[in-house]
Amino acid sequence: REQLGAALTAANELIAVLNATLDSETAEAGRLAMDRAPFDPVRLARELVLLSRPHASAKGVELAVHVEPDLEAARGAVVGDVTRARQVLSNLLGNAVKYTLRGRVEVRLSLDEQSRVVIAIADTGPGLSAEELERAFEPFRRVERTGAGVPGAGLGLSLSRQLAALMGGELKGQSAVGVGSCFTFELPWDIGAAAPTEADESTLRGRIAPSRRPMRVLVAEDDALNAAMLRAILEQLGHQVVHAQNGKRAVELASACDFDLIMLDGRMPGLDGAHTAAALRGLGGPAGDMPIIAVIGGDAEEARECLDAGADTVLRKPVTVAGVARAVADAAAKGRDIAAGRDLSAFAVG
């Protein structure tokens, strides 16, 4: 299992390097397609911070986000490619957490005098000299003093700067050895634009709003990092989480305790997601009627297996806050329908 995990990690890193190389070459040639649509940078930053918090907490690093009041109250949005903006911020935040061994990482958002959103990611990591900082922005160049033993191809900052420029923005860095680094990602702010407000995106407005009805959620996941990420999201949404490390344990807990919802990994050792869903449906009574969300990383075949076995819906990895919130809301609605059905059946005439 450890060898398989190591091989999978290596494969994912290779895919990331190949994708980054392709993006970099395409951007240099001016052929990288960029979408233009309004999005909320505050919502995006808060979601990424939430998803990065389990990794930071595991290292004992504090991770915080601060939004200046003028930006909180401002009308408008950034008009650009939200996927590419997410890519840039994920790289900057990932680097900050990865290289900071102790202390703090803070994401600060504000509006400057030129009506640009400034997203600053500051850390208390090892810091870089002026020469090292310049080298860090060069493609395929890594700072050996800080990067030894840390995975990566040295393309992240170079590609991020290219993407920022293509969005009409800018990426800059400041650093000092022994003090830390601060990278700022600036994007134009359009006062006349409005970010989307669909239900699957509105769960993060200002801060993540807890769900109206707290739920008791059983999470069946054998991967500790994935389990921690789901727990962080669900608890931020106001729910209580119980963790089962495998499908067998999930069935035992579901048969002995009351839950409102079950989220299970599609690929677990022993009893996988589909077989766990089938076993849960076989419990009968309220336990057998609980809404089930299968969290999968595979293709349509894996999704179909889980749905055929009794899952109500599937959620694809990597999960997002908006995706989890929407799936949980749908499951809560299903739970109310089931409860209403039970109430009506009590008065049914045979």
Side-chain angles (χ1 to χ4, degrees), residues 20 87-88 91-92 95 136 140 153-161 171:
Q87 187 175 351
V88 173
N91 178 64
L92 297 177
N95 281 348
F140 298 106
L155 261 176
L157 284 177
S158 173
L159 176 58
S160 293
R161 176 172 274 180
L171 177 61

Side-chain angles (χ1 to χ4, degrees), residues 302-327:
E302 182 184 355
R304 177 50 54 194
E305 289 175 358
C306 291
L307 291 171
D308 288 346
D312 296 290
T313 187
V314 295
L315 188 62
R316 294 190 180 278
K317 299 177 182 178
V319 298
T320 65
V321 177
V324 171
R326 181 177 59 189

Side-chain angles (χ1 to χ4, degrees), residues 14-97:
L14 178 58
I15 291 171
V17 170
L18 292 174
N19 286 337
T21 303
L22 180 61
D23 281 346
S24 181
E25 292 178 350
T26 307
E28 286 183 357
R31 298 194 307 269
L32 190 63
M34 303 291 287
D35 290 335
R36 283 188 57 80
F39 68 89
D40 183 354
V42 174
R43 186 184 307 165
L44 176 61
R46 282 188 164 130
E47 180 175 343
L48 291 175
V49 166
L50 179 62
L51 295 178
S52 299
R53 189 158 282 141
H55 185 199
S57 297
K59 299 178 63 177
V61 173
E62 182 184 358
L63 179 56
V65 60
H66 174 76
V67 183
E68 291 294 333
D70 58 344
L71 179 56
E72 287 272 26
R75 294 175 53 191
V78 170
V79 179
D81 192 322
V82 66
T83 300
R84 296 302 183 179
R86 180 187 295 273
Q87 187 175 351
V88 173
L89 286 178
S90 294
N91 178 64
L92 297 177
L93 187 56
N95 281 348
V97 173

Side-chain angles (χ1 to χ4, degrees), residues 36-330:
R36 283 188 57 80
F39 68 89
D40 183 354
V42 174
R43 186 184 307 165
L44 176 61
R46 282 188 164 130
E47 180 175 343
L48 291 175
V49 166
L50 179 62
L51 295 178
S52 299
R53 189 158 282 141
H55 185 199
S57 297
K59 299 178 63 177
V61 173
E62 182 184 358
L63 179 56
V65 60
H66 174 76
V67 183
E68 291 294 333
D70 58 344
L71 179 56
E72 287 272 26
R75 294 175 53 191
V78 170
V79 179
D81 192 322
V82 66
T83 300
R84 296 302 183 179
R86 180 187 295 273
Q87 187 175 351
V88 173
L89 286 178
S90 294
N91 178 64
L92 297 177
L93 187 56
N95 281 348
V97 173
K98 180 166 59 176
Y99 291 108
T100 301
L101 299 181
R102 63 182 63 86
R104 176 182 175 88
V105 174
E106 183 176 11
V107 181
R108 299 191 296 266
L109 296 95
S110 61
L111 274 177
D112 67 11
E113 296 177 353
Q114 286 75 43
S115 293
R116 294 163 70 90
V117 174
V118 180
I119 307 174
I121 300 179
D123 64 61
T124 57
L128 303 170
S129 67
E131 180 183 349
E132 289 172 333
L133 181 61
E134 183 177 354
R135 191 185 313 144
F137 277 103
E138 297 175 5
F140 298 106
R141 294 292 298 273
R142 304 189 67 205
V143 179
E144 293 302 325
R145 181 177 60 84
T146 61
V150 179
L155 261 176
L157 284 177
S158 173
L159 176 58
S160 293
R161 176 172 274 180
Q162 290 175 309
L163 294 176
L166 287 172
M167 286 186 281
E170 189 176 5
L171 177 61
K172 299 180 290 188
Q174 293 180 311
S175 192
V177 175
V179 177
S181 302
C182 180
F183 291 89
T184 56
F185 179 28
E186 301 178 2
L187 287 169
W189 180 260
D190 188 338
I191 194 172
T197 58
E198 284 81 6
D200 62 338
E201 295 181 356
S202 63
T203 54
L204 296 171
R205 180 178 300 278
R207 60 182 179 180
I208 297 172
S211 295
R212 292 180 181 178
R213 186 177 76 87
M215 301 176 71
R216 184 173 166 85
V217 183
L218 174 61
V219 173
E221 170 63 74
D222 63 302
D223 185 278
L225 182 58
N226 288 340
M229 187 173 296
L230 279 173
R231 178 187 289 275
I233 294 174
L234 289 165
E235 288 181 348
Q236 285 290 331
L237 292 170
H239 304 300
Q240 181 183 358
V241 178
V242 175
H243 176 221
Q245 293 183 338
N246 53 58
K248 181 175 181 292
R249 181 58 177 160
V251 175
E252 292 173 351
L253 287 170
S255 62
C257 308
D258 292 330
F259 295 98
D260 299 299
L261 168 68
I262 298 177
M263 299 186 73
L264 53 88
D265 179 31
R267 293 284 184 247
M268 291 183 288
L271 210 60
D272 65 10
H275 287 91
T276 301
L280 290 167
R281 290 294 179 233
L283 292 176
D289 286 336
M290 274 185 294
I292 299 174
I293 300 173
V295 185
I296 67 170
D299 53 15
E301 182 179 352
E302 182 184 355
R304 177 50 54 194
E305 289 175 358
C306 291
L307 291 171
D308 288 346
D312 296 290
T313 187
V314 295
L315 188 62
R316 294 190 180 278
K317 299 177 182 178
V319 298
T320 65
V321 177
V324 171
R326 181 177 59 189
V328 170
D330 290 345

